Amino acid sequence: MREIYLIRHGMPDFPGGARMCLGRTDLPLGLRGRLQAALLGAEFAPRGITECFCSALSRSRQTAELMGFASPVIVPGLEEMDAGDWDGLSFDEIRRRWPEYYERRGRDRSLPPPGGEEFGPASRRFLTAVKRAAALSRGDIIIVSHSSVIQTLLCTLEGRPFDCARDFELPYGSVTRLRADASGQMELVSWGVPPRPELTAQLAERLLEAAELPEELREHSLAAAGAAMELVCALAAAGICLDETRVYAAALLHDLAKGAPDHALAGAGLLSQLGYPELAPLVAKHNEPELGADVDEALVVSVADKLCLGGRRVGISARFRASLDKCRDEEARRAHDRRYKAALEAARKINDICGKDVVPI
């Protein structure tokens, strides 16, 4: 018996952020998609699978490459279903231009988009491509492909009509597992399972690499993670033991969504959606710590961020002096002053606990 893992590619970079009907339209991965691919790579790394196949579309090939396969084999037939006249259009536009057909397709889910590929032919060509990949390899394999064609195959394997295809929910970056016997007969084991590798320092570093942040921001993230580890060690010597893996990962990834509105909350939401909700509050509060009775992981991440100007280590006051010029109006200056005072209070609290100035003010 051998295992065949069908992986839906990571989330594409939708122009303007609006979801669209994707068939053969070739979009690259977005930030979330790259992170999903990195998680898939971490999930499969211990399994020792060496052969990976993908479609020619960028989102499929990039997912395979970010998983760690430098040269995935492109197999014709693994492409997504052709979405015809709807390909590359937003769903709002589709509803506006084809209201009756859109409603009809909602009732009969086996209907293709106008001018699009029929389910039967799509299922047959995809199955042929999967068998081709299996014939080109030995042992367990990974096939990175697309949701609709995977769903048609699952209907075929399970003996269901094609209007049940969307019952097989396949999130971006999810894994569908098939088992094949010596004759090539396949059975469905599981579908649509997101990867959840254990949170480690190595995984956090892999996610940072996949995020493809600008170099200055990447250097800042690395510097903040280093500062956070120094604070964790100093606090441990003073009798306060924190979760160093969580602190390191959150400090490394705190600016993951930099550039988005309220990037701290956006980054927290992204990490939670990826399956690491324990990191969300640490990232969400890194701009402005909540000062309670205890020093916790979130406070350490926030202070570590304030000790780094780009990739350079500085004191709290120097960091805030450098950022004051970015305040465009009085409201921004008040927020800046509030955060500065909170950072100073957090720094003094840590220094008092440690009995020395481990946080330069």
Side-chain angles (χ1 to χ4, degrees):
M1 301 291 284
R2 64 192 301 202
E3 305 286 330
I4 298 174
Y5 296 97
L6 303 177
I7 292 176
R8 186 187 183 187
H9 59 78
M11 186 175 179
D13 186 12
F14 292 106
R19 297 290 186 93
M20 60 174 57
C21 182
L22 275 188
R24 304 299 172 85
T25 298
D26 198 9
L27 294 181
L29 295 180
L31 171 60
R32 186 183 302 183
R34 295 194 301 274
L35 298 176
Q36 288 165 335
L39 291 177
L40 285 163
E43 178 84 8
F44 278 92
R47 306 186 195 191
I49 299 175
T50 60
E51 295 182 278
C52 179
F53 303 86
C54 66
S55 81
L57 292 170
S58 298
R59 56 192 185 272
S60 172
R61 178 176 44 79
Q62 287 179 325
T63 299
E65 290 171 348
L66 285 168
M67 287 180 67
F69 297 98
S71 301
V73 178
I74 295 174
V75 176
L78 295 179
E79 298 82 11
E80 180 60 293
M81 291 178 65
D82 189 334
D85 296 341
W86 291 2
D87 210 332
L89 299 181
S90 72
F91 287 105
D92 286 341
E93 183 173 359
I94 290 169
R95 279 191 292 267
R96 179 175 57 80
R97 293 174 58 182
W98 289 273
E100 294 181 4
Y101 194 85
Y102 187 87
E103 183 181 349
R104 185 177 157 209
R105 192 166 182 263
R107 296 192 303 270
D108 181 359
R109 296 186 295 175
S110 65
L111 281 176
E117 188 175 12
E118 298 280 348
F119 279 73
S123 180
R124 289 190 291 273
R125 60 98 171 162
F126 183 66
L127 177 57
T128 298
V130 170
K131 289 182 175 179
R132 174 63 175 161
L136 290 170
S137 59
R138 292 184 178 183
D140 298 345
I141 61 172
I142 290 170
I143 296 175
V144 183
S145 189
H146 308 265
S147 60
S148 294
V149 284
I150 295 175
Q151 289 167 333
T152 65
L153 175 59
L154 300 189
C155 285
T156 300
L157 293 179
E158 293 291 287
R160 298 194 196 182
F162 289 125
D163 64 1
C164 295
R166 279 181 275 175
D167 292 344
F168 295 102
E169 187 175 352
L170 306 177
Y172 287 113
S174 63
V175 181
T176 294
R177 181 181 166 203
L178 307 180
R179 182 175 293 126
D181 62 21
S183 70
Q185 189 71 26
M186 291 179 285
E187 64 172 335
L188 176 61
V189 178
S190 60
W191 74 86
V193 180
R196 291 292 182 269
E198 179 186 0
L199 179 64
T200 63
Q202 292 74 25
L203 176 61
E205 290 162 5
R206 188 167 190 157
L207 291 172
L208 180 67
E209 192 68 25
E212 298 178 4
L213 299 179
E215 185 60 26
E216 183 178 0
L217 196 54
R218 181 177 176 276
E219 290 178 357
H220 170 73
S221 300
L222 291 167
M229 287 298 94
E230 291 178 16
L231 295 179
V232 166
C233 291
L235 287 165
I240 295 182
C241 296
L242 302 176
D243 187 327
E244 64 180 75
T245 299
R246 287 177 61 201
V247 171
Y248 180 76
L252 201 62
L253 303 173
H254 72 280
D255 276 341
L256 203 60
K258 192 77 170 180
D262 202 342
H263 78 277
L265 284 179
L270 180 55
L271 288 167
S272 186
Q273 291 159 5
L274 290 171
Y276 300 94
E278 67 272 26
L279 295 182
L282 280 65
V283 171
K285 299 172 185 176
H286 81 264
N287 267 347
E288 187 170 349
E290 291 182 4
L291 298 176
D294 300 320
V295 170
D296 61 8
E297 286 86 357
L299 191 74
V300 169
V301 171
S302 180
V303 171
D305 171 49
K306 305 304 181 290
L307 290 176
C308 302
L309 183 60
R312 183 166 56 91
R313 295 284 287 275
V314 295
I316 297 288
S317 297
R319 165 69 190 271
F320 277 89
R321 280 197 302 271
S323 60
L324 183 59
D325 290 342
K326 297 178 183 178
C327 298
R328 304 283 183 183
D329 52 37
E330 186 58 34
E331 182 180 354
R333 283 188 286 273
R334 283 196 299 269
H336 181 275
D337 185 59
R338 184 182 67 247
R339 290 171 180 167
Y340 178 35
K341 290 176 180 177
L344 286 176
E345 185 177 342
R348 291 178 181 127
K349 178 173 286 193
I350 292 174
N351 287 342
D352 287 346
I353 290 170
C354 294
K356 57 182 177 180
D357 291 343
V358 296
V359 181
I361 294 175

